[in-house]
Amino acid sequence: MQAAVVPEPGAEFEVVERDVPEPDADEVRVSVDACGICHSDVFTKEGTNPAVTYPRVPGHEVAGHIDAVGDAVDAWEVGDRVGVGWHGGHCSTCDQCRQGNFLQCENGEVTGLTYDGGYAEYMTAPSEALARIPESLDAAAAAPLLCAGVTTFNALRNSDANVGDLVAVQGIGGLGHLGIQYAHAAGFETAAISRTPEKESLARELGADHFIDATETDAGQRLQELGGADVVLGTAPSSDAISSVVSGIGVDGSVVVVGVPGEPVAVNAMDLVQTRGAVEGWGSGHARDSQDTLEFSSLRDITPEIETFPLEDVNEAYGRMIENEARFRAVLEL
C-alpha cells in the first residue's frame, strides 16, 4: 500500500510503499476512502506531543470501509462503512472510562498520533473507535465531520442552550462554517461573528440569522443588543477574538472554546460575575458522538466545504491547511 509518513519531527511527508497491516484480534482493518487534514495533525508533523513516535502516519478524520476484522470483533463486518476520529480507543477500566468519559481515558489512544492514521490506503483501528457512516454521505464530505464536525456539533448539544436561544459562532472557517450549520439546524437563533466582511453572504447561506462584522462593530456589545448570547462557540484560534466576545454573553451564558489559540485568553472577571457566566472548553467526542454527528449531518444535509487532493500531493494539501488557505477543509482522497 501507499502511505504518507512523517519520518521525524518537522520533516516533510514521504509517500512510501508499506505492507498492508493486519488487524489484531480486537481491531478491524479499514480501507481508507478519504482522510481529512486537520490542524491538530501539526502535533504529529512537528513532534510537539510527547506521545508521538516515528515514523508515523498522521490522520484522524478517516472515512472508509472495513476490509478485514479481528477474531474477537463481532459488532462489525467486512464492507461496513466506518469513520475513525481523534478518539482512537479507550481502555474501559480506568476511572474516567468507568464514568463514561471515554475521550478522557487515562490510557486512551489517538488516531494518527499514538498509532498510524488515515494518510494511507489502509489502517487498523480498535473496534471501539469506529463510527458508522450513513450511506447518504460521500466519503470525502464525511471525513472532516470526524473531527471538525463532531467538535462543533458535540459542543453545542452539550451546552445549556435551548431551542430559540441566541447562539453565536465566532469565526467562519473550518470549524465555524460547520458550527453555523449545526446551530441553525438545531433551532437556535444563530449569529455569525467574523473579521472578514466578505463572508457575510456565506454565513447567511449557511443559516446565520445575524452577521456581526468584528472589524466595524464591538461583537460583545452587538450580542448584548440582541439580548445576550446563551452560548458563543469560539472556533477561531485567536485569544483576542475570544476575549472580545465574553462581554456578549447573557445571564448564565458561556463562551465555549473549541478553536485553541496559542496564547492565554484574557477575561474580564466582571463580565462573568454580572452574568453568572463562564468560559469553557470542549474537546471532540468518542466514536458514538462521531456517529451521532454523521447521522445528524445526513438528516439535515450538513456538509463541509472541502478541497480534495490525491495522496501524492499531501505536502501541498497540508501546506494549504497550515497557511489557512484551504476553503475550508483539505481532504485526501485515496
Side-chain angles (χ1 to χ4, degrees), residues 85-329:
W86 177 266
H87 170 256
H90 54 269
C91 70
S92 298
T93 58
C94 71
D95 285 345
Q96 291 300 326
C97 282
R98 293 180 68 192
Q99 296 177 59
N101 298 322
F102 299 125
L103 193 64
Q104 287 73 38
C105 173
E106 297 166 15
N107 307 296
E109 301 281 357
V110 178
T111 313
L113 195 152
T114 60
Y115 64 82
D116 287 338
Y119 288 23
E121 292 178 315
Y122 294 91
M123 63 168 288
T124 58
S127 60
E128 75 269 13
L130 303 177
R132 194 175 301 277
I133 298 178
E135 289 298 327
S136 61
L137 287 179
D138 174 76
L145 302 180
L146 274 301
C147 186
V150 67
T151 297
T152 50
F153 173 80
N154 218 19
L156 288 174
R157 73 167 177 171
N158 282 282
S159 74
D160 291 329
N162 294 310
V163 172
D165 285 349
L166 177 62
V167 169
V169 179
Q170 170 259 330
I172 308 174
L175 290 166
H177 87 290
L178 287 167
I180 293 169
Q181 294 181 73
Y182 289 128
H184 171 73
F188 300 131
E189 182 182 356
T190 304
I193 305 170
S194 176
R195 297 188 64 83
T196 307
E198 294 79 16
K199 289 183 177 180
E200 179 174 1
S201 60
L202 171 64
R204 294 192 181 277
E205 288 174 11
L206 296 173
D209 302 294
H210 313 280
F211 180 82
I212 300 173
D213 178 0
T215 64
E216 296 287 341
T217 304
D218 182 301
Q221 180 179 332
R222 179 59 182 139
L223 289 175
Q224 288 298 338
E225 292 171 356
L226 292 171
D230 293 276
V231 170
V232 180
L233 188 66
T235 72
S238 164
S239 299
D240 290 342
I242 295 170
S243 297
S244 72
V245 297
V246 177
S247 61
I249 58 176
V251 175
D252 294 325
S254 60
V255 176
V256 182
V257 179
V258 295
V260 182
E263 301 294 329
V265 176
V267 176
N268 184 338
M270 188 57 71
D271 290 331
L272 305 182
V273 171
Q274 290 177 328
T275 59
R276 298 193 304 242
V279 177
E280 310 170 4
W282 190 267
S284 53
H286 52 65
R288 182 64 238 192
D289 295 325
S290 292
Q291 186 165 321
D292 290 346
T293 303
L294 293 163
E295 291 172 350
F296 185 79
S297 300
S298 174
L299 180 68
R300 291 290 178 255
D301 195 25
I302 294 173
T303 55
E305 292 200 12
I306 62 173
E307 296 179 0
T308 60
F309 301 83
L311 185 62
E312 57 264 28
D313 291 343
V314 60
N315 283 296
E316 177 190 352
Y318 182 87
R320 285 187 59 77
M321 179 279 298
I322 207 70
E323 296 298 329
N324 199 30
E325 295 174 347
R327 185 180 171 108
F328 285 105
R329 308 293 294 191

Side-chain angles (χ1 to χ4, degrees), residues 31-83:
S31 176
V32 179
D33 297 316
C35 184
I37 296 178
C38 177
H39 195 276
S40 296
D41 292 339
V42 73
F43 297 137
T44 301
K45 179 71 163 56
E46 303 301 329
T48 53
N49 188 304
V52 185
T53 57
Y54 295 89
R56 176 65 71 221
V57 178
H60 59 270
E61 296 182 349
V62 186
H65 57 277
I66 294 177
D67 175 71
V69 298
D71 293 340
V73 176
D74 55 14
W76 301 93
E77 298 179 353
V78 171
D80 286 346
R81 297 187 74 216
V82 295

